[in-house]
Amino acid sequence: MKKKKLIFLIVSVCLFYMTSCIHHNGNIGHWFGQWKLTQITINEEPDTTYNGNIFWSFQSDIILMQGQGASRGTWAEDGDNVVLTFTYSDDNNPQGSQIYSPLPATHLPVGVSTLRILKSPGTKMELQYVSPEGDKYQYSLSKWW
């Protein structure tokens, strides 16, 4: 099952790059498209190291984070949460490699992260991740296209 999911992930990403199509598997609703990560706060204080250059793209069940590099994973909405999964690998990139890890500036760990939806997607959304150490990361995103 994991191998099928990995093959689907790789094929989806390749198709995304080859066609620049944002409608793979149809419009997925309010998550659809590209979102600019406008601000990160850590324990309610702005993350002054974040320079505003990361975009999150949602297509089918794939999430692509782009900024200083790019990373690929999957996502799923689960009630009041969005679950991001960065556990993939391929023949050239082991699990946890840069291509299958959240971008470091997001402070998200490799693996599965559950983010609480504080403000539902519309033209803006707010998500919160609480680390195992108890730190609260809040992500402010604006619809880019």
Side-chain angles (χ1 to χ4, degrees), residues 7-118:
I7 290 169
F8 176 75
L9 176 69
I10 292 169
V11 169
S12 296
V13 169
C14 288
L15 288 173
F16 180 79
Y17 280 118
M18 288 178 2
T19 64
S20 296
C21 174
I22 59 172
H23 286 282
H24 174 70
N25 216 17
N27 186 320
I28 56 172
H30 53 258
W31 293 94
F32 178 72
Q34 188 174 55
W35 296 81
K36 183 173 185 177
L37 179 57
T38 57
Q39 183 179 27
I40 300 172
T41 62
I42 304 169
N43 298 321
E44 300 182 15
E45 295 293 325
D47 179 359
T48 57
T49 65
Y50 177 60
N51 60 15
N53 68 339
I54 294 178
F55 292 86
W56 296 13
S57 297
F58 295 91
Q59 180 177 339
S60 187
D61 68 343
I62 306 298
I63 182 169
L64 174 67
M65 289 184 179
Q66 294 176 290
Q68 296 279 3
S71 61
R72 295 146 186 86
T74 56
W75 71 279
E77 187 172 4
D78 183 17
D80 293 335
N81 299 306
V82 61
V83 180
L84 304 181
T85 304
F86 289 91
T87 58
Y88 302 98
S89 63
D90 60 43
D91 290 341
N92 298 316
N93 299 286
Q95 183 177 346
S97 62
Q98 182 179 355
I99 193 171
Y100 297 116
S101 298
L103 294 178
T106 66
H107 306 282
L108 292 168
V110 173
V112 179
S113 300
T114 300
L115 287 76
R116 187 168 162 238
I117 302 168
L118 301 176

